[in-house]
Amino acid sequence: MATTIWLITGANRGLGLELTTQLLATSPANEVIAACRNPARASDLHALQASATGRVHVVPLDVSSEQSMRDSVRHVADVLGERGLDYLYNNAAINPAFDSPFDFDYATLLDVLQTNLAAPALLAELYYPFLLRGDNKTIVNVTTGLASLGLDCGPKCTSYSISKCALNMLTYKQARTRPDFTCICMDPGWVKTALGGEGALLETADSAAGILAVISRLTPADSGKFWRYNGTQHPW
Ligand SMILES: NC(=O)c1ccc[n+]([C@@H]2O[C@H](COP(=O)([O-])OP(=O)(O)OC[C@H]3O[C@@H](n4cnc5c(N)ncnc54)[C@H](OP(=O)(O)O)[C@@H]3O)[C@@H](O)[C@H]2O)c1
């Protein structure tokens, strides 16, 4: 059986963990390289490893560290062998401040840009040779409705919104550079996670199921678009 191989960042909790769980449950062909910054404490991923033998590989990856991102290639290459990578799913992100344009912390802004923008950019460059060898050649950059100018979301979460808006532009550039790849922005919706908060509208299971349904239908013609978990699209 041909395998479909996913690399998911920030896979130890929240949506990354839920996506990993659903991928393993929905098809025996799915194999997940679950990246997280502290594998020793990723107990949920280790539980998944025990139940889906050989189909979950937990690798260390701190996306705020250039060295860790570069080091991750060795771990992933060991898992892949001669095989290619089908999906790079850039999920890890932070939203540490409910800030605004005239009241923000400069160091926090730089941290947010590093984690939410520079990391997905570097990871796409580092894993490009592996994606070239894969069948699906897909990059999913997880963004948010807050990154849409068209939705006019106002000043809230300025640093986070800026970072994700720039990630959208990166996605567009990736799509236009490689028409044979599928590179998309994905908004998971407002989801009950540590990042989304208790008051969010969606359960992680519903968001993740929607995301995987959208991804399963993607073709290169869908590349460079700003998708939502429910299959509709956001305005840029
Ligand atoms: N939840 C929502 O309502 C919502 C809405 C729109 C978009 N999104 C997007 O959806 C994605 C997933 O968010 P979530 O809601 O699942 O958030 P979450 O529950 O807070 O999980 C965030 C994940 O990112 C990881 N992470 C953060 N910084 C990292 C770093 N430097 N290196 C490695 N991993 C790091 C965390 O790992 P640790 O456990 O090690 O901290 C965790 O696994 C994000 O891109 C977010 O922007 C979420």
Side-chain angles (χ1 to χ4, degrees):
M1 179 177 53
T3 50
T4 303
I5 309 184
W6 303 68
L7 171 57
I8 300 179
T9 66
N12 57 306
R13 63 182 167 93
L15 282 161
L17 178 64
E18 182 62 30
L19 286 160
T20 302
T21 305
Q22 291 195 18
L23 282 168
L24 296 170
T26 50
S27 170
N30 284 326
E31 193 171 320
V32 181
I33 302 172
C36 59
R37 58 179 149 184
N38 196 340
R41 282 200 273 154
S43 50
D44 291 321
L45 286 178
H46 292 303
L48 282 177
Q49 264 185 320
S51 62
T53 317
R55 294 199 292 131
V56 191
H57 313 273
V58 183
V59 301
L61 175 55
D62 179 343
V63 304
S64 67
S65 157
E66 180 185 353
Q67 193 59 53
S68 175
M69 287 190 276
R70 294 193 184 281
D71 289 346
S72 74
V73 174
R74 180 169 38 87
H75 297 286
V76 173
D78 283 348
V79 172
L80 291 174
E82 295 302 309
R83 302 179 300 170
L85 181 65
D86 291 291
Y87 293 92
L88 170 61
Y89 195 96
N90 279 314
N91 170 75
I94 52 172
N95 180 14
F98 204 78
D99 56 5
S100 66
F102 305 112
D103 183 12
F104 69 93
D105 179 70
Y106 183 69
T108 301
L109 171 62
L110 293 182
D111 282 349
V112 171
L113 290 172
Q114 186 172 20
T115 299
N116 296 2
L117 170 64
L122 179 59
L123 290 170
E125 185 184 53
L126 292 173
Y127 286 102
Y128 176 71
F130 300 89
L131 288 162
L132 276 174
R133 293 210 307 256
D135 292 331
N136 294 76
K137 298 180 174 47
T138 298
I139 299 173
V140 180
N141 291 320
V142 181
T143 76
T144 165
L146 289 171
S148 164
L149 291 167
L151 289 181
D152 192 14
C153 295
K156 69 184 171 194
C157 301
T158 292
S159 297
Y160 178 72
S161 304
I162 294 169
S163 71
K164 296 288 192 175
C165 192
L167 182 58
N168 283 358
M169 179 57 87
L170 172 71
T171 312
Y172 164 82
K173 299 284 187 193
Q174 290 169 338
R176 290 297 177 267
T177 304
R178 288 301 307 213
D180 55 330
F181 276 42
T182 304
C183 307
I184 64 157
C185 314
M186 173 58 73
D187 171 18
W190 188 20
V191 191
K192 290 175 187 160
T193 64
L195 191 147
E198 277 299 309
L201 296 174
L202 288 166
E203 302 296 332
T204 52
D206 297 325
S207 171
I211 289 167
L212 293 179
V214 173
I215 291 175
S216 72
R217 295 191 294 265
L218 290 175
T219 71
D222 299 313
S223 196
K225 295 181 178 167
F226 190 175
W227 291 95
R228 299 184 68 214
Y229 73 99
N230 62 2
T232 62
Q233 289 176 41
H234 276 316
W236 291 90

